[in-house]
Amino acid sequence: MFELLRNLGAWLVDGDRWTGSDGIAHRLAEHLQYSLLATLVAAAIALPVGLLIGHTGKGAFVAINLSSFGRALPTVGLVVLVFLASGLSMWPVYIALVALAAPSIVTNTYAGMTAVDPDVKDAARGQGMRGHQVLFQVELPLALPLIMTGLRLALIQVVATATIAAYVSFGGLGRYVFDGLAQRDLVQVLGGAVLVAAVAVVLDLALSALQRVILRHRPA
């Protein structure tokens, strides 16, 4: 065990390992690209859905059940299915990652909106606010903590799952995991897993800090 850890440490700090098209820096950039783009697309789709159903109370049953269905989808199976339909491209990976991220965003956004005190919304309407003003000036700021939590959960899930890009011959940190398994190189497999975990932790801490800043400066 000690020998394995020592070899893992040597693998991670090897300067040559960080350079070139197969280096850690390049694979890390690819992994971040896949993860951030998929999460942004998922947020662009899921946030409006969560806000709409939370504000109007309509369509909640369908949206939440679709989100649950999205959680239940086997990610690798979805990648293979889209891969067979579209051919060799990044589309299968992005579709699978978006499908993975969207449910957390929808459910947390909806939960945040429904958690807003109805009396507060009634008071806002009593002051002459229109529907969109109540949504963006009252409900959204109050629901923001749960919405941000949903975004954090989605991003961490996507980072951990973006290793599947290597499953269909693309890059990212999953390349070390899949190549290591193929080569029976346990050090490389562990190195890839450690790097993915480190990226997930760093991004979670960064989003947590951003969340604190946003909540500190939100309207009272």
Side-chain angles (χ1 to χ4, degrees), residues 45-111:
I45 297 170
L47 271 175
V49 172
L51 290 173
L52 180 63
I53 63 176
H55 178 65
T56 64
K58 298 177 181 178
F61 177 81
V62 174
I64 298 303
N65 278 279
L66 283 176
S67 295
S68 299
F69 175 73
R71 279 199 183 98
L73 281 174
T75 306
V76 174
L78 183 58
V79 168
V80 173
L81 180 63
V82 181
F83 174 77
L84 292 174
S86 65
L88 183 61
S89 71
M90 274 298 296
W91 280 108
V93 176
Y94 281 125
I95 290 173
L97 294 179
V98 169
L100 176 70
S104 294
I105 300 173
V106 170
T107 53
N108 275 64
T109 302
Y110 172 70

Side-chain angles (χ1 to χ4, degrees), residues 178-201:
F178 283 92
D179 289 350
L181 289 172
Q183 299 163 14
R184 297 186 179 181
D185 184 348
L186 182 56
V187 171
Q188 186 176 182
V189 173
L190 287 176
V194 166
L195 288 169
V196 171
V199 171
V201 169

